[in-house]
Amino acid sequence: MGKKALLRPTAENTYRILYADSEDGVDIHFGRELERSQELEKQGDIEGACNVRYDAFQQLMRLIPDSTDIELDWDDRDSRDAMLTVNYSAIDHFLLGDFEMSAAMLEMLLELDPEDHLEASIQLAYSYVALEEWELFDEVINDVNDKHPDKDILVLWSEFRRTGKLPEGELRHFKRTFKPYYDEFVAMEHPIDDAYLSDIRSNSPSKKALARELWIQVEHLWKLFPGFIEALSA
């Protein structure tokens, strides 16, 4: 009998994942699988890394009871590793254009982590716009902090998808408040060169580098749903 992942309640009405010799639970160590996926990425095996994270997500699904509301303890490392794995797998599916799966994973993550330490609401909002789930988008966008440039981008993109037009007030706010992001999104080129990599890896990345990082994360959306960037540029 080997150690398996188990759920244990805490005095704070949350749950923690622990590993113990048991006939119950699931046969996985989320922290080790997370590290294994990161090592595969370093080796250039992106597909392998995605598969490891997705398999871990499926194991977590088996561990969480369907009939019970489970909130995991963010301060517990093993529980946090499991939630990080869900988040990264959701991002994998988002980048692949599987927005339904990504949204389902992020919805589960927000149930496990209602305080949204990983800011899953942002990624979920992008998926809802891609899926044209407007009622769900209108709910989740309220949870996105106004200090995030994503909030303005999401509002602008959602209105463009709904109406074919950009709301002028929100566009002015985006240009004024998040100018480096606006400039990056309407730029003709977005090089991932040595200057950018040095900047983004530093302890205090510039806003210009952060804007390019965001562009890289969502660039595939504008290829799948063309017209938005052209409208911003105009």
Side-chain angles (χ1 to χ4, degrees):
M1 185 187 303
K3 291 186 182 296
K4 293 188 177 183
L6 304 165
L7 277 180
R8 287 293 181 266
T10 72
E12 289 74 33
N13 293 320
T14 61
Y15 287 78
R16 288 186 172 185
I17 291 175
L18 59 85
Y19 300 98
D21 294 324
S22 174
E23 294 181 357
D24 301 321
V26 294
D27 189 13
I28 189 174
H29 192 291
F30 292 103
R32 291 173 191 161
E33 291 302 279
L34 184 60
E35 290 178 1
R36 186 160 74 96
S37 73
Q38 293 168 338
E39 186 60 35
L40 287 169
E41 278 193 354
K42 291 178 183 177
Q43 297 170 7
D45 187 359
I46 303 302
E47 182 178 353
C50 291
N51 288 336
V52 168
R53 289 190 283 261
Y54 183 60
D55 289 344
F57 163 74
Q58 290 181 308
Q59 291 283 57
L60 184 61
M61 287 278 288
R62 297 186 183 100
L63 183 61
I64 303 295
D66 291 335
S67 58
T68 308
D69 290 332
I70 299 292
E71 178 182 343
L72 292 180
D73 181 0
W74 177 259
D75 294 326
D76 173 60
R77 179 176 178 178
D78 291 323
S79 303
R80 188 166 62 248
D81 285 341
M83 289 186 279
L84 282 166
T85 303
V86 176
N87 186 60
Y88 293 147
S89 189
I91 292 173
D92 292 338
H93 285 81
F94 176 79
L95 293 173
L96 289 170
D98 189 350
F99 302 111
E100 289 189 10
M101 179 58 77
S102 182
M105 289 178 163
L106 294 168
E107 288 165 353
M108 174 183 172
L109 179 57
L110 286 170
E111 291 178 1
L112 298 175
D113 176 32
E115 293 187 20
D116 196 10
H117 292 88
L118 296 171
E119 297 184 323
S121 298
I122 296 175
Q123 198 80 44
L124 184 56
Y126 278 109
S127 291
Y128 282 156
V129 177
L131 294 168
E132 297 185 299
E133 291 283 1
W134 301 126
E135 290 185 12
L136 295 173
F137 171 79
D138 291 339
E139 291 177 11
V140 77
I141 193 64
N142 294 321
D143 296 327
V144 179
N145 195 308
D146 291 340
K147 295 180 180 180
H148 282 294
D150 300 84
K151 180 82 172 263
D152 278 19
I153 294 166
L154 282 161
V155 169
L156 288 165
W157 186 38
S158 66
E159 285 302 308
F160 182 77
R161 289 217 70 198
R162 291 193 232 202
T163 67
K165 298 179 180 179
L166 295 177
E168 294 183 4
E170 286 79 358
L171 180 57
R172 285 196 298 271
H173 183 272
F174 182 47
K175 288 181 177 180
R176 182 178 66 250
T177 309
F178 300 107
K179 188 177 186 302
Y181 290 85
Y182 174 79
D183 290 344
E184 182 67 36
F185 271 56
V186 300
M188 296 299 294
E189 297 180 347
H190 313 270
I192 306 176
D193 51 20
D194 290 341
Y196 162 73
L197 292 173
S198 176
D199 193 342
I200 200 63
R201 290 169 179 168
S202 68
N203 292 328
S204 299
S206 67
K207 289 184 178 179
K208 181 177 180 180
L210 292 171
R212 184 159 303 168
E213 180 182 51
L214 178 56
W215 167 269
I216 293 167
Q217 292 168 352
V218 297
E219 180 182 8
H220 67 297
L221 294 174
W222 322 133
K223 296 177 181 178
L224 292 170
F225 308 102
F228 175 63
I229 300 301
E230 290 78 4
L232 278 182
S233 302

